[in-house]
Amino acid sequence: MRLSTVVHAAGTSAAVLDGNTWRALPAADLSALLTAVPVQQVAGLAGDALVDAVPVLPLPAPGKVVCCGLNYADHIRETGRELPSYPTLFPKYADTLTGPEADIVLPAGLQVDWEVELAVVVGATLRRADRATALAGIAGYTVANDISVRDWQYRTLEWFQGKAWDASTPVGPVIVTPDEVDPAAGLEVICRVNGEMVQRDTTKTLVFDAADLLAYISAFTVLRPGDLVLTGTPGGVGVAREPQRFLADGDVVETEIPGIGTLRNTVRFTG
């Protein structure tokens, strides 16, 4: 299944894609739906076709957004670090997320960087889950870009202040259920800036895969349906280049995972 939150003539709705047609699901958005209905039951709830429906941010109100840094071997090496024994984690807020076609609006003068990521959507309550339970608790996968403000990120040893700027992390356009995509088999993750490919790798090279991350995170904080876990970015980020390269006003960032979808976001600097 392909699920999202869509806007249409009558407002917003959680929706499931039926061929080329979005059909309404009984909630205003996918965050509300997943907290009320197991993802396995969603297909049977499809209702009327929605005319001129357009996907927006699929999960506008996750209870938790947890991100993993340094999770692709080549990206770890380009930062000069050793492969980790444990995941490097940091949080975001729901306010940090934005839609698949939304502009990313930030103050001028910042060092803004790109980070393509596979994101995992939690579909069950997970508390101290083992790997098998965590794997079974995945509702689906989506595309994210952990747009990072590097000069703020590296002000201190803690990354949070460079990672949680409002409306800076595009997600979407759809959530694809695990029966249709398998990151363990290898999904390409691709980022382009103004059409130039700057990142390309496969989820086969993740140090900690989706089930590993959900199990590890659930050891110290409960995960609930609709929560979002970003799995990390591969090599090719701007801050690690020689010379360093950052996003400019008007740059178009395309973030793609074939089999799931593509985000297209334009960077806009203000002030």
Side-chain angles (χ1 to χ4, degrees), residues 245-261:
R245 175 181 171 186
F246 300 107
L247 293 167
D249 183 62
D251 281 351
V252 177
V253 181
E254 291 181 299
T255 313
E256 180 183 6
I257 301 180
I260 301 179

Side-chain angles (χ1 to χ4, degrees), residues 120 126 129-139 210-216 218:
V120 185
L126 300 175
D130 59 21
R131 178 182 167 81
T133 303
L135 186 62
I138 294 173
D212 291 334
L213 290 174
L214 266 58
Y216 185 80
S218 76

Side-chain angles (χ1 to χ4, degrees), residues 62 73 152 223:
W152 278 67
L223 292 171

Side-chain angles (χ1 to χ4, degrees), residues 217-232:
I217 295 164
S218 76
F220 63 87
T221 186
V222 62
L223 292 171
R224 295 185 172 89
D227 287 349
L228 196 63
V229 175
L230 277 62
T231 60

Side-chain angles (χ1 to χ4, degrees), residues 20-110:
N20 294 319
T21 300
W22 286 103
R23 294 195 174 276
L25 294 168
D29 57 62
L30 204 52
S31 289
L33 184 77
L34 290 178
T35 60
V37 179
V39 70
Q40 296 84 356
Q41 298 178 15
V42 165
L45 301 176
D48 294 339
L50 299 171
V51 178
D52 296 329
V54 177
V56 290
L57 175 62
L59 295 166
K64 292 174 182 172
V65 182
V66 184
C67 307
C68 183
L70 303 173
N71 199 23
Y72 285 83
D74 60 342
H75 181 45
I76 295 168
R77 294 188 182 101
E78 77 178 356
T79 66
R81 294 175 169 89
E82 300 287 332
L83 293 183
S85 299
Y86 303 102
T88 298
L89 301 176
F90 58 92
K92 289 183 183 283
Y93 297 120
D95 289 336
T96 314
L97 307 182
T98 193
E101 301 277 343
D103 287 353
I104 297 168
V105 182
L106 292 167
L110 299 174

